[in-house]
Amino acid sequence: MTASIRLTVPGTLRYRGIAVRVVAEAARLVSGSSMNDPDDPFANDVRHPFDTAVVSAFMEIFNNIAIHAYKRKGGGAIDIVMTPSERDLVIEVRDHGQAFDIDEVAPLPPDLDEHSLPEGGMGIHIAKTMLDDLTYQPGPPNLWRLCKRLATGPHADVGRS
Amino acid sequence: MTASIRLTVPGTLRYRGIAVRVVAEAARLVSGSSMNDPDDPFANDVRHPFDTAVVSAFMEIFNNIAIHAYKRKGGGAIDIVMTPSERDLVIEVRDHGQAFDIDEVAPLPPDLDEHSLPEGGMGIHIAKTMLDDLTYQPGPPNLWRLCKRLATGPHADVGRS
Amino acid sequence: MLPFEVSKNPGETKLTIRGSLDINTAPALAEEIDKILATKPAKVEVDLGPLDLIDSSGVAALVKLYKGVRGGGGNVRISGARDQPLAIFKLLRMDKVFNL
Amino acid sequence: MLPFEVSKNPGETKLTIRGSLDINTAPALAEEIDKILATKPAKVEVDLGPLDLIDSSGVAALVKLYKGVRGGGGNVRISGARDQPLAIFKLLRMDKVFNL
Ligand SMILES: Nc1ncnc2c1ncn2[C@@H]1O[C@H](COP(=O)(O)OP(=O)(O)O)[C@@H](O)[C@H]1O
Ligand SMILES: Nc1ncnc2c1ncn2[C@@H]1O[C@H](COP(=O)(O)OP(=O)(O)O)[C@@H](O)[C@H]1O
């Protein structure tokens, strides 16, 4: 089961839905949440904690590439390679947009109250916290590597915050 | 809107669900049946006649590659390039499995009654009839080209039988 | 969960098929069909209302059921086909034989 | 169809959000939120029961609503969050502020 699935789409938000669906399916191949729900061949809820973590992180990475790397103008592709194994899912995402320095991204304030609720700057934090490992290597192509391991204990696969 | 979406999956029936979903989404980009149904982000019914035709044809082509070209053993990839435009969807499907002579495929009997109902040999017929154009070019790689145009008149996009 | 349900009443077997009847799900239905045919049913009702998608493997399973029941002298009533499955039956001109 | 519904009763505005609240759907909600805030509502009920998925853009829209209503002296009650949206609120530690 270490064969890869590869999806390449234009780097705009129009193709976000397709990419998110494929990633959700790839997550399901690992988590075992049924791929062919007989009740609805296209049912696609994200319920399993593993699927939740993978899809949540991937949505942020995709948004950021379309918005920040490609500046909402497209002009390049987003290339996604998903490698499901029995224990984990590794997703590599490549783009040819503008690179950035991920270490300069400010962390979220540690204690939130009503007044400090953030209205932005949550994407990288969500992706990092949902995954076991997230790395970014500026390119070209810029390369994101997302890794999520299937937890064996209960309640162990969503977030580590 | 002439950018392409490309999906590559291992050539087994395990990946059929992912491929069918992506093709359904690509069809929706052309037919305009909503991709992000707000009521259910993952709702994926195939209802629009254009989507019906594309998905019906593609399912048969995918099945045949996994079963006949790769003989249910995998061992190679299925590479799918979808090019949606305003008026049509072109899907190219490539495999490195065994080639065959499509002209030798026997047509279905023209008149069906209870006794002549077929229990096989319907796949190519379904794909051809659902599409505006279906070609096969033996390889390697073997290349299927599926084309469906968006009909402008009513009731015009399903089947031509 | 299986993509179909069978309920048996005296003199009638009812089969409800849901979701996607395709190359991945048809084999399980074909096994069930063998069991149904072994009972030599006089009447089989097939409800395709909850069926969203079908491919030629799924059609083949239904044809096998139809021929098997008719060959044993029984009757088959298929109802509820809609959307993509209905388009497929029409394309194959099975809508008339199946009385859809 | 919009991914949200607004109903206004005297003294209370109810907002129901469904499906996916994300970078593609949040802008329409943000416009609606501007309209709601312009009425200086005393109480806003947000029902997230039918919400399946949210991303940081969706969260930002809800934060804007929350801060706007509170800043105008009103109250916000958010209820019904489940599955992926609930996981996101917990991760961001907003579950406490939002009282989920
Ligand atoms: N893929 C990317 N390419 C270029 N810049 C990025 C990318 N992802 C994130 N950034 C930068 O990092 C910042 C923080 O990203 P994020 O945490 O997702 O919050 P937000 O997108 O809401 O600003 C962004 O504002 C942007 O400057
Ligand atoms: N992709 C393919 N590669 C090799 N042979 C194929 C392929 N597709 C179809 N065939 C051949 O054409 C025949 C007819 O295909 P089809 O009409 O789909 O019916 P069925 O698959 O039920 O036999 C198959 O039995 C097979 O011999």
Side-chain angles (χ1 to χ4, degrees), chain D residues 75-96:
Chain D
N75 276 309
V76 181
R77 212 175 78 90
I78 300 179
S79 64
R82 57 173 174 83
D83 297 317
Q84 190 268 353
L86 183 59
I88 289 285
F89 293 125
K90 285 189 173 165
L91 182 156
L92 293 170
R93 271 179 256 118
M94 289 185 183
D95 53 329
K96 276 156 210 151

mmCIF file with all atom_site columns, all heavy atoms in Angstrom, chain D residues 75-96:
data_model
loop_
_atom_site.group_PDB
_atom_site.id
_atom_site.type_symbol
_atom_site.label_atom_id
_atom_site.label_alt_id
_atom_site.label_comp_id
_atom_site.label_asym_id
_atom_site.label_entity_id
_atom_site.label_seq_id
_atom_site.pdbx_PDB_ins_code
_atom_site.Cartn_x
_atom_site.Cartn_y
_atom_site.Cartn_z
_atom_site.occupancy
_atom_site.B_iso_or_equiv
_atom_site.pdbx_formal_charge
_atom_site.auth_seq_id
_atom_site.auth_comp_id
_atom_site.auth_asym_id
_atom_site.auth_atom_id
_atom_site.pdbx_PDB_model_num
ATOM 1   N N   . ASN D 1 75 ? -24.523 40.366 23.036 1.00 0.00 ? 75 ASN D N   1
ATOM 2   C CA  . ASN D 1 75 ? -24.074 39.020 23.397 1.00 0.00 ? 75 ASN D CA  1
ATOM 3   C C   . ASN D 1 75 ? -24.131 38.074 22.215 1.00 0.00 ? 75 ASN D C   1
ATOM 4   O O   . ASN D 1 75 ? -24.992 38.198 21.351 1.00 0.00 ? 75 ASN D O   1
ATOM 5   C CB  . ASN D 1 75 ? -24.959 38.458 24.508 1.00 0.00 ? 75 ASN D CB  1
ATOM 6   C CG  . ASN D 1 75 ? -24.479 38.937 25.861 1.00 0.00 ? 75 ASN D CG  1
ATOM 7   O OD1 . ASN D 1 75 ? -23.291 38.803 26.177 1.00 0.00 ? 75 ASN D OD1 1
ATOM 8   N ND2 . ASN D 1 75 ? -25.394 39.518 26.627 1.00 0.00 ? 75 ASN D ND2 1
ATOM 9   N N   . VAL D 1 76 ? -23.189 37.099 22.216 1.00 0.00 ? 76 VAL D N   1
ATOM 10  C CA  . VAL D 1 76 ? -23.165 36.086 21.155 1.00 0.00 ? 76 VAL D CA  1
ATOM 11  C C   . VAL D 1 76 ? -23.238 34.716 21.811 1.00 0.00 ? 76 VAL D C   1
ATOM 12  O O   . VAL D 1 76 ? -22.525 34.457 22.781 1.00 0.00 ? 76 VAL D O   1
ATOM 13  C CB  . VAL D 1 76 ? -21.842 36.150 20.347 1.00 0.00 ? 76 VAL D CB  1
ATOM 14  C CG1 . VAL D 1 76 ? -21.860 35.115 19.238 1.00 0.00 ? 76 VAL D CG1 1
ATOM 15  C CG2 . VAL D 1 76 ? -21.621 37.546 19.780 1.00 0.00 ? 76 VAL D CG2 1
ATOM 16  N N   . ARG D 1 77 ? -24.108 33.859 21.296 1.00 0.00 ? 77 ARG D N   1
ATOM 17  C CA  . ARG D 1 77 ? -24.121 32.476 21.761 1.00 0.00 ? 77 ARG D CA  1
ATOM 18  C C   . ARG D 1 77 ? -23.867 31.563 20.562 1.00 0.00 ? 77 ARG D C   1
ATOM 19  O O   . ARG D 1 77 ? -24.608 31.613 19.584 1.00 0.00 ? 77 ARG D O   1
ATOM 20  C CB  . ARG D 1 77 ? -25.468 32.136 22.388 1.00 0.00 ? 77 ARG D CB  1
ATOM 21  C CG  . ARG D 1 77 ? -25.347 31.109 23.533 1.00 0.00 ? 77 ARG D CG  1
ATOM 22  C CD  . ARG D 1 77 ? -26.689 30.878 24.205 1.00 0.00 ? 77 ARG D CD  1
ATOM 23  N NE  . ARG D 1 77 ? -27.493 29.989 23.377 1.00 0.00 ? 77 ARG D NE  1
ATOM 24  C CZ  . ARG D 1 77 ? -27.476 28.649 23.506 1.00 0.00 ? 77 ARG D CZ  1
ATOM 25  N NH1 . ARG D 1 77 ? -26.735 28.074 24.423 1.00 0.00 ? 77 ARG D NH1 1
ATOM 26  N NH2 . ARG D 1 77 ? -28.228 27.899 22.730 1.00 0.00 ? 77 ARG D NH2 1
ATOM 27  N N   . ILE D 1 78 ? -22.801 30.795 20.667 1.00 0.00 ? 78 ILE D N   1
ATOM 28  C CA  . ILE D 1 78 ? -22.456 29.887 19.564 1.00 0.00 ? 78 ILE D CA  1
ATOM 29  C C   . ILE D 1 78 ? -22.760 28.479 20.030 1.00 0.00 ? 78 ILE D C   1
ATOM 30  O O   . ILE D 1 78 ? -22.351 28.073 21.112 1.00 0.00 ? 78 ILE D O   1
ATOM 31  C CB  . ILE D 1 78 ? -20.964 30.012 19.211 1.00 0.00 ? 78 ILE D CB  1
ATOM 32  C CG1 . ILE D 1 78 ? -20.660 31.470 18.788 1.00 0.00 ? 78 ILE D CG1 1
ATOM 33  C CG2 . ILE D 1 78 ? -20.578 29.044 18.110 1.00 0.00 ? 78 ILE D CG2 1
ATOM 34  C CD1 . ILE D 1 78 ? -19.216 31.722 18.428 1.00 0.00 ? 78 ILE D CD1 1
ATOM 35  N N   . SER D 1 79 ? -23.493 27.718 19.221 1.00 0.00 ? 79 SER D N   1
ATOM 36  C CA  . SER D 1 79 ? -23.815 26.356 19.662 1.00 0.00 ? 79 SER D CA  1
ATOM 37  C C   . SER D 1 79 ? -23.750 25.374 18.495 1.00 0.00 ? 79 SER D C   1
ATOM 38  O O   . SER D 1 79 ? -23.736 25.763 17.337 1.00 0.00 ? 79 SER D O   1
ATOM 39  C CB  . SER D 1 79 ? -25.216 26.325 20.263 1.00 0.00 ? 79 SER D CB  1
ATOM 40  O OG  . SER D 1 79 ? -26.160 26.643 19.251 1.00 0.00 ? 79 SER D OG  1
ATOM 41  N N   . GLY D 1 80 ? -23.691 24.114 18.838 1.00 0.00 ? 80 GLY D N   1
ATOM 42  C CA  . GLY D 1 80 ? -23.840 23.062 17.838 1.00 0.00 ? 80 GLY D CA  1
ATOM 43  C C   . GLY D 1 80 ? -22.563 22.618 17.148 1.00 0.00 ? 80 GLY D C   1
ATOM 44  O O   . GLY D 1 80 ? -22.602 21.699 16.321 1.00 0.00 ? 80 GLY D O   1
ATOM 45  N N   . ALA D 1 81 ? -21.409 23.226 17.474 1.00 0.00 ? 81 ALA D N   1
ATOM 46  C CA  . ALA D 1 81 ? -20.176 22.837 16.776 1.00 0.00 ? 81 ALA D CA  1
ATOM 47  C C   . ALA D 1 81 ? -19.852 21.366 17.026 1.00 0.00 ? 81 ALA D C   1
ATOM 48  O O   . ALA D 1 81 ? -19.971 20.877 18.132 1.00 0.00 ? 81 ALA D O   1
ATOM 49  C CB  . ALA D 1 81 ? -19.017 23.721 17.220 1.00 0.00 ? 81 ALA D CB  1
ATOM 50  N N   . ARG D 1 82 ? -19.449 20.682 15.988 1.00 0.00 ? 82 ARG D N   1
ATOM 51  C CA  . ARG D 1 82 ? -19.148 19.240 16.091 1.00 0.00 ? 82 ARG D CA  1
ATOM 52  C C   . ARG D 1 82 ? -18.032 18.880 15.112 1.00 0.00 ? 82 ARG D C   1
ATOM 53  O O   . ARG D 1 82 ? -17.667 19.672 14.252 1.00 0.00 ? 82 ARG D O   1
ATOM 54  C CB  . ARG D 1 82 ? -20.406 18.426 15.774 1.00 0.00 ? 82 ARG D CB  1
ATOM 55  C CG  . ARG D 1 82 ? -20.948 18.772 14.399 1.00 0.00 ? 82 ARG D CG  1
ATOM 56  C CD  . ARG D 1 82 ? -22.098 17.888 13.914 1.00 0.00 ? 82 ARG D CD  1
ATOM 57  N NE  . ARG D 1 82 ? -22.595 18.421 12.659 1.00 0.00 ? 82 ARG D NE  1
ATOM 58  C CZ  . ARG D 1 82 ? -22.039 18.175 11.459 1.00 0.00 ? 82 ARG D CZ  1
ATOM 59  N NH1 . ARG D 1 82 ? -20.989 17.405 11.359 1.00 0.00 ? 82 ARG D NH1 1
ATOM 60  N NH2 . ARG D 1 82 ? -22.529 18.726 10.369 1.00 0.00 ? 82 ARG D NH2 1
ATOM 61  N N   . ASP D 1 83 ? -17.516 17.685 15.240 1.00 0.00 ? 83 ASP D N   1
ATOM 62  C CA  . ASP D 1 83 ? -16.541 17.124 14.294 1.00 0.00 ? 83 ASP D CA  1
ATOM 63  C C   . ASP D 1 83 ? -15.386 18.080 13.966 1.00 0.00 ? 83 ASP D C   1
ATOM 64  O O   . ASP D 1 83 ? -14.814 18.665 14.865 1.00 0.00 ? 83 ASP D O   1
ATOM 65  C CB  . ASP D 1 83 ? -17.266 16.639 13.022 1.00 0.00 ? 83 ASP D CB  1
ATOM 66  C CG  . ASP D 1 83 ? -18.255 15.511 13.323 1.00 0.00 ? 83 ASP D CG  1
ATOM 67  O OD1 . ASP D 1 83 ? -17.906 14.612 14.093 1.00 0.00 ? 83 ASP D OD1 1
ATOM 68  O OD2 . ASP D 1 83 ? -19.396 15.560 12.825 1.00 0.00 ? 83 ASP D OD2 1
ATOM 69  N N   . GLN D 1 84 ? -15.093 18.246 12.679 1.00 0.00 ? 84 GLN D N   1
ATOM 70  C CA  . GLN D 1 84 ? -13.906 19.029 12.310 1.00 0.00 ? 84 GLN D CA  1
ATOM 71  C C   . GLN D 1 84 ? -13.963 20.465 12.827 1.00 0.00 ? 84 GLN D C   1
ATOM 72  O O   . GLN D 1 84 ? -12.969 20.955 13.379 1.00 0.00 ? 84 GLN D O   1
ATOM 73  C CB  . GLN D 1 84 ? -13.720 18.965 10.774 1.00 0.00 ? 84 GLN D CB  1
ATOM 74  C CG  . GLN D 1 84 ? -12.396 19.532 10.258 1.00 0.00 ? 84 GLN D CG  1
ATOM 75  C CD  . GLN D 1 84 ? -12.507 21.011 9.891  1.00 0.00 ? 84 GLN D CD  1
ATOM 76  O OE1 . GLN D 1 84 ? -13.601 21.597 9.895  1.00 0.00 ? 84 GLN D OE1 1
ATOM 77  N NE2 . GLN D 1 84 ? -11.369 21.630 9.573  1.00 0.00 ? 84 GLN D NE2 1
ATOM 78  N N   . PRO D 1 85 ? -15.091 21.173 12.708 1.00 0.00 ? 85 PRO D N   1
ATOM 79  C CA  . PRO D 1 85 ? -15.121 22.540 13.252 1.00 0.00 ? 85 PRO D CA  1
ATOM 80  C C   . PRO D 1 85 ? -14.819 22.584 14.753 1.00 0.00 ? 85 PRO D C   1
ATOM 81  O O   . PRO D 1 85 ? -14.043 23.428 15.217 1.00 0.00 ? 85 PRO D O   1
ATOM 82  C CB  . PRO D 1 85 ? -16.549 23.010 12.944 1.00 0.00 ? 85 PRO D CB  1
ATOM 83  C CG  . PRO D 1 85 ? -16.928 22.246 11.711 1.00 0.00 ? 85 PRO D CG  1
ATOM 84  C CD  . PRO D 1 85 ? -16.310 20.889 11.906 1.00 0.00 ? 85 PRO D CD  1
ATOM 85  N N   . LEU D 1 86 ? -15.387 21.647 15.515 1.00 0.00 ? 86 LEU D N   1
ATOM 86  C CA  . LEU D 1 86 ? -15.121 21.624 16.959 1.00 0.00 ? 86 LEU D CA  1
ATOM 87  C C   . LEU D 1 86 ? -13.635 21.388 17.225 1.00 0.00 ? 86 LEU D C   1
ATOM 88  O O   . LEU D 1 86 ? -13.029 22.035 18.093 1.00 0.00 ? 86 LEU D O   1
ATOM 89  C CB  . LEU D 1 86 ? -15.974 20.540 17.632 1.00 0.00 ? 86 LEU D CB  1
ATOM 90  C CG  . LEU D 1 86 ? -15.850 20.456 19.157 1.00 0.00 ? 86 LEU D CG  1
ATOM 91  C CD1 . LEU D 1 86 ? -16.245 21.775 19.816 1.00 0.00 ? 86 LEU D CD1 1
ATOM 92  C CD2 . LEU D 1 86 ? -16.707 19.318 19.711 1.00 0.00 ? 86 LEU D CD2 1
ATOM 93  N N   . ALA D 1 87 ? -13.032 20.475 16.458 1.00 0.00 ? 87 ALA D N   1
ATOM 94  C CA  . ALA D 1 87 ? -11.590 20.204 16.624 1.00 0.00 ? 87 ALA D CA  1
ATOM 95  C C   . ALA D 1 87 ? -10.775 21.474 16.370 1.00 0.00 ? 87 ALA D C   1
ATOM 96  O O   . ALA D 1 87 ? -9.805  21.758 17.076 1.00 0.00 ? 87 ALA D O   1
ATOM 97  C CB  . ALA D 1 87 ? -11.149 19.073 15.685 1.00 0.00 ? 87 ALA D CB  1
ATOM 98  N N   . ILE D 1 88 ? -11.166 22.244 15.381 1.00 0.00 ? 88 ILE D N   1
ATOM 99  C CA  . ILE D 1 88 ? -10.444 23.489 15.067 1.00 0.00 ? 88 ILE D CA  1
ATOM 100 C C   . ILE D 1 88 ? -10.611 24.509 16.205 1.00 0.00 ? 88 ILE D C   1
ATOM 101 O O   . ILE D 1 88 ? -9.641  25.128 16.643 1.00 0.00 ? 88 ILE D O   1
ATOM 102 C CB  . ILE D 1 88 ? -10.962 24.092 13.737 1.00 0.00 ? 88 ILE D CB  1
ATOM 103 C CG1 . ILE D 1 88 ? -10.510 23.231 12.546 1.00 0.00 ? 88 ILE D CG1 1
ATOM 104 C CG2 . ILE D 1 88 ? -10.496 25.544 13.557 1.00 0.00 ? 88 ILE D CG2 1
ATOM 105 C CD1 . ILE D 1 88 ? -9.047  23.379 12.184 1.00 0.00 ? 88 ILE D CD1 1
ATOM 106 N N   . PHE D 1 89 ? -11.821 24.673 16.723 1.00 0.00 ? 89 PHE D N   1
ATOM 107 C CA  . PHE D 1 89 ? -12.021 25.628 17.822 1.00 0.00 ? 89 PHE D CA  1
ATOM 108 C C   . PHE D 1 89 ? -11.214 25.209 19.053 1.00 0.00 ? 89 PHE D C   1
ATOM 109 O O   . PHE D 1 89 ? -10.652 26.042 19.751 1.00 0.00 ? 89 PHE D O   1
ATOM 110 C CB  . PHE D 1 89 ? -13.503 25.769 18.185 1.00 0.00 ? 89 PHE D CB  1
ATOM 111 C CG  . PHE D 1 89 ? -14.319 26.404 17.087 1.00 0.00 ? 89 PHE D CG  1
ATOM 112 C CD1 . PHE D 1 89 ? -15.447 25.777 16.573 1.00 0.00 ? 89 PHE D CD1 1
ATOM 113 C CD2 . PHE D 1 89 ? -13.949 27.638 16.560 1.00 0.00 ? 89 PHE D CD2 1
ATOM 114 C CE1 . PHE D 1 89 ? -16.191 26.358 15.558 1.00 0.00 ? 89 PHE D CE1 1
ATOM 115 C CE2 . PHE D 1 89 ? -14.699 28.229 15.539 1.00 0.00 ? 89 PHE D CE2 1
ATOM 116 C CZ  . PHE D 1 89 ? -15.813 27.584 15.034 1.00 0.00 ? 89 PHE D CZ  1
ATOM 117 N N   . LYS D 1 90 ? -11.166 23.916 19.308 1.00 0.00 ? 90 LYS D N   1
ATOM 118 C CA  . LYS D 1 90 ? -10.386 23.437 20.459 1.00 0.00 ? 90 LYS D CA  1
ATOM 119 C C   . LYS D 1 90 ? -8.904  23.695 20.240 1.00 0.00 ? 90 LYS D C   1
ATOM 120 O O   . LYS D 1 90 ? -8.206  24.154 21.143 1.00 0.00 ? 90 LYS D O   1
ATOM 121 C CB  . LYS D 1 90 ? -10.629 21.944 20.678 1.00 0.00 ? 90 LYS D CB  1
ATOM 122 C CG  . LYS D 1 90 ? -11.987 21.672 21.296 1.00 0.00 ? 90 LYS D CG  1
ATOM 123 C CD  . LYS D 1 90 ? -12.126 20.208 21.718 1.00 0.00 ? 90 LYS D CD  1
ATOM 124 C CE  . LYS D 1 90 ? -13.421 20.014 22.495 1.00 0.00 ? 90 LYS D CE  1
ATOM 125 N NZ  . LYS D 1 90 ? -13.781 18.599 22.631 1.00 0.00 ? 90 LYS D NZ  1
ATOM 126 N N   . LEU D 1 91 ? -8.429  23.382 19.068 1.00 0.00 ? 91 LEU D N   1
ATOM 127 C CA  . LEU D 1 91 ? -7.014  23.594 18.753 1.00 0.00 ? 91 LEU D CA  1
ATOM 128 C C   . LEU D 1 91 ? -6.637  25.063 18.960 1.00 0.00 ? 91 LEU D C   1
ATOM 129 O O   . LEU D 1 91 ? -5.565  25.376 19.486 1.00 0.00 ? 91 LEU D O   1
ATOM 130 C CB  . LEU D 1 91 ? -6.771  23.162 17.307 1.00 0.00 ? 91 LEU D CB  1
ATOM 131 C CG  . LEU D 1 91 ? -5.366  23.223 16.725 1.00 0.00 ? 91 LEU D CG  1
ATOM 132 C CD1 . LEU D 1 91 ? -5.263  22.247 15.562 1.00 0.00 ? 91 LEU D CD1 1
ATOM 133 C CD2 . LEU D 1 91 ? -4.985  24.617 16.245 1.00 0.00 ? 91 LEU D CD2 1
ATOM 134 N N   . LEU D 1 92 ? -7.520  25.963 18.556 1.00 0.00 ? 92 LEU D N   1
ATOM 135 C CA  . LEU D 1 92 ? -7.249  27.404 18.674 1.00 0.00 ? 92 LEU D CA  1
ATOM 136 C C   . LEU D 1 92 ? -7.599  27.921 20.069 1.00 0.00 ? 92 LEU D C   1
ATOM 137 O O   . LEU D 1 92 ? -7.486  29.113 20.327 1.00 0.00 ? 92 LEU D O   1
ATOM 138 C CB  . LEU D 1 92 ? -8.031  28.177 17.608 1.00 0.00 ? 92 LEU D CB  1
ATOM 139 C CG  . LEU D 1 92 ? -7.598  27.927 16.157 1.00 0.00 ? 92 LEU D CG  1
ATOM 140 C CD1 . LEU D 1 92 ? -8.595  28.549 15.188 1.00 0.00 ? 92 LEU D CD1 1
ATOM 141 C CD2 . LEU D 1 92 ? -6.194  28.486 15.899 1.00 0.00 ? 92 LEU D CD2 1
ATOM 142 N N   . ARG D 1 93 ? -8.019  27.031 20.934 1.00 0.00 ? 93 ARG D N   1
ATOM 143 C CA  . ARG D 1 93 ? -8.447  27.353 22.297 1.00 0.00 ? 93 ARG D CA  1
ATOM 144 C C   . ARG D 1 93 ? -9.565  28.398 22.301 1.00 0.00 ? 93 ARG D C   1
ATOM 145 O O   . ARG D 1 93 ? -9.690  29.200 23.214 1.00 0.00 ? 93 ARG D O   1
ATOM 146 C CB  . ARG D 1 93 ? -7.264  27.803 23.146 1.00 0.00 ? 93 ARG D CB  1
ATOM 147 C CG  . ARG D 1 93 ? -6.622  26.571 23.813 1.00 0.00 ? 93 ARG D CG  1
ATOM 148 C CD  . ARG D 1 93 ? -5.439  26.949 24.653 1.00 0.00 ? 93 ARG D CD  1
ATOM 149 N NE  . ARG D 1 93 ? -4.228  26.602 23.946 1.00 0.00 ? 93 ARG D NE  1
ATOM 150 C CZ  . ARG D 1 93 ? -3.300  27.465 23.558 1.00 0.00 ? 93 ARG D CZ  1
ATOM 151 N NH1 . ARG D 1 93 ? -3.430  28.745 23.792 1.00 0.00 ? 93 ARG D NH1 1
ATOM 152 N NH2 . ARG D 1 93 ? -2.229  27.029 22.926 1.00 0.00 ? 93 ARG D NH2 1
ATOM 153 N N   . MET D 1 94 ? -10.351 28.387 21.237 1.00 0.00 ? 94 MET D N   1
ATOM 154 C CA  . MET D 1 94 ? -11.481 29.309 21.179 1.00 0.00 ? 94 MET D CA  1
ATOM 155 C C   . MET D 1 94 ? -12.718 28.680 21.806 1.00 0.00 ? 94 MET D C   1
ATOM 156 O O   . MET D 1 94 ? -13.728 29.348 22.000 1.00 0.00 ? 94 MET D O   1
ATOM 157 C CB  . MET D 1 94 ? -11.809 29.663 19.736 1.00 0.00 ? 94 MET D CB  1
ATOM 158 C CG  . MET D 1 94 ? -10.757 30.555 19.107 1.00 0.00 ? 94 MET D CG  1
ATOM 159 S SD  . MET D 1 94 ? -11.237 31.062 17.463 1.00 0.00 ? 94 MET D SD  1
ATOM 160 C CE  . MET D 1 94 ? -9.767  31.993 16.997 1.00 0.00 ? 94 MET D CE  1
ATOM 161 N N   . ASP D 1 95 ? -12.644 27.380 22.080 1.00 0.00 ? 95 ASP D N   1
ATOM 162 C CA  . ASP D 1 95 ? -13.822 26.706 22.643 1.00 0.00 ? 95 ASP D CA  1
ATOM 163 C C   . ASP D 1 95 ? -14.225 27.324 23.977 1.00 0.00 ? 95 ASP D C   1
ATOM 164 O O   . ASP D 1 95 ? -15.400 27.401 24.298 1.00 0.00 ? 95 ASP D O   1
ATOM 165 C CB  . ASP D 1 95 ? -13.589 25.190 22.767 1.00 0.00 ? 95 ASP D CB  1
ATOM 166 C CG  . ASP D 1 95 ? -12.307 24.852 23.526 1.00 0.00 ? 95 ASP D CG  1
ATOM 167 O OD1 . ASP D 1 95 ? -11.331 25.638 23.446 1.00 0.00 ? 95 ASP D OD1 1
ATOM 168 O OD2 . ASP D 1 95 ? -12.271 23.816 24.202 1.00 0.00 ? 95 ASP D OD2 1
ATOM 169 N N   . LYS D 1 96 ? -13.201 27.796 24.733 1.00 0.00 ? 96 LYS D N   1
ATOM 170 C CA  . LYS D 1 96 ? -13.549 28.394 26.027 1.00 0.00 ? 96 LYS D CA  1
ATOM 171 C C   . LYS D 1 96 ? -14.190 29.771 25.849 1.00 0.00 ? 96 LYS D C   1
ATOM 172 O O   . LYS D 1 96 ? -15.232 30.052 26.422 1.00 0.00 ? 96 LYS D O   1
ATOM 173 C CB  . LYS D 1 96 ? -12.317 28.474 26.919 1.00 0.00 ? 96 LYS D CB  1
ATOM 174 C CG  . LYS D 1 96 ? -12.105 27.141 27.638 1.00 0.00 ? 96 LYS D CG  1
ATOM 175 C CD  . LYS D 1 96 ? -10.677 26.920 28.071 1.00 0.00 ? 96 LYS D CD  1
ATOM 176 C CE  . LYS D 1 96 ? -10.380 25.431 28.061 1.00 0.00 ? 96 LYS D CE  1
ATOM 177 N NZ  . LYS D 1 96 ? -8.983  25.142 27.787 1.00 0.00 ? 96 LYS D NZ  1
#
